[in-house]
Amino acid sequence: MGRTPVCADDVLARLGELPVSEWTYGFDHRSVRHLGPMAQDFAAAFGLGYSDRKIAVVDANGVCMAAIQALYRRVVILEEARGSDIESAS
């Protein structure tokens, strides 16, 4: 079983382009709503899982974690830059 590192910034960019919809499954009552990407769009964006008809929880979590890491790094960079601006203004 091999592991391949991913570029979190790339995952974030693909996630940013992923359409997200609200829908009701055909077997649910009309009042039951769900939110998320369509499995086919998720598969096209990330190429994960064994089917383009279902999104595995592990894959959705992995995409979210990579995107959070990319956002965290961006926040740290912005905070450091802001700190530099504040220090230079003193």
Side-chain angles (χ1 to χ4, degrees):
M1 182 179 339
R3 290 185 284 176
T4 305
V6 299
C7 174
D9 288 318
D10 180 50
V11 172
L12 178 61
R14 288 185 276 162
L15 184 60
E17 296 297 319
L18 187 65
V20 176
S21 305
E22 188 175 312
W23 77 95
T24 299
Y25 286 117
F27 54 80
D28 279 336
H29 185 271
R30 288 183 303 160
S31 66
V32 178
R33 306 295 293 159
H34 300 280
L35 177 71
M38 298 294 104
Q40 295 86 345
D41 293 333
F42 187 88
F46 299 106
L48 301 171
Y50 58 88
S51 170
D52 69 350
R53 305 284 295 157
K54 296 179 182 181
I55 301 173
V57 172
V58 67
D59 296 327
N61 286 343
V63 166
C64 289
M65 287 182 192
I68 290 167
Q69 287 178 344
L71 290 172
Y72 172 76
R73 285 195 289 274
R74 291 178 185 195
V75 167
V76 168
I77 290 168
L78 291 171
E79 287 174 339
E80 289 172 352
R82 182 175 171 227
S84 298
D85 291 344
I86 292 170
E87 290 171 9
S88 64
S90 308

